[in-house]
Amino acid sequence: MGRADTVPAHTLLPMPADNWSERRVAFGSAAADYAAGRPSYPTEALRWALPDGARTVLDLAAGTGKLTERLLELGLEVHAVEPLAEMRAVIPAAAHPVDGTAEAIPLPDGSVDAVTVGQAFHWFDPPAALAEMRRVLRPGGTVGLFWNLLDDSVPWVADFLASVGGEERASAIKPDPHPVWTGIDGLSEPERAIFRHAATYDAARLVAYVVSRSQTILLPADERAALIDRVRDVAPDGEFELPLVCEAWRGTKT
Ligand SMILES: C[S@@+](CC[C@H](N)C(=O)[O-])C[C@H]1O[C@@H](n2cnc3c(N)ncnc32)[C@H](O)[C@@H]1O
């Protein structure tokens, strides 16, 4: 099964095909904005996805370590795998950051209790990545996939997305979705849960958020500057809470 056969379970799956290959490797040049601008993940979503007694976790496509940091705070032994050197350089050293991809994970068979993926499964080749995740998991270990979406039921967030565009809209979450994967040997059918949370922003952080998006990174300079102006126009004054919805999926190695 190729990428085009991915079950469209999520608002970000499948990604638009036109410049997908360019976008998946674009993040490196915006690593500082990514670290400053992206929100973290709710700890309760991570706890929901981890198996009882989890000790060792692979954070796959770890980026700058947003999800990695939450895992470290839970006292877990974390192995962060990330292909882009600029992103990897920001990951806490305690997470043993290493170069690698989802389709060729540089860890031994059966070596982790869980594999977590934040905001990145839509960049993978799903069959190859799922086979690799299953290989590195011990029996009973879990896969946890997480996506942070903006809660556009809140009027200013809807206005913000109307002004600056964006694929990560909570309103696109389906009440009765197809599973994010199905029929994968050695992995249970996945379950989904939704976690509401929020992060404190100001206009500068909201600009960093938008600038860290792959589609923004690839814009011509004048369009990017105009986009940043629109973000500043629509951002609330001072500090504010950005309302978020984390869509989480978990499955178990059988
Ligand atoms: C939107 S960022 C998410 C980073 C981090 N997980 C987070 O939650 O902030 C997507 C990351 O996926 C990585 N990525 C893209 N394709 C990948 C692949 N095939 N294997 C592993 N990582 C990949 C990119 O380098 C980038 O760091």
Side-chain angles (χ1 to χ4, degrees), residues 24 27 34 38 41 61-63 66 82-84 87 101-103 118-120 123-124:
R24 81 198 288 232
F27 293 102
Y34 197 101
R38 292 293 181 117
Y41 295 86
K66 292 272 163 192
E82 164 57 44
L84 298 177
M87 300 288 268
T101 67
E103 296 80 10
Q119 216 80 12
W123 300 119
F124 298 168

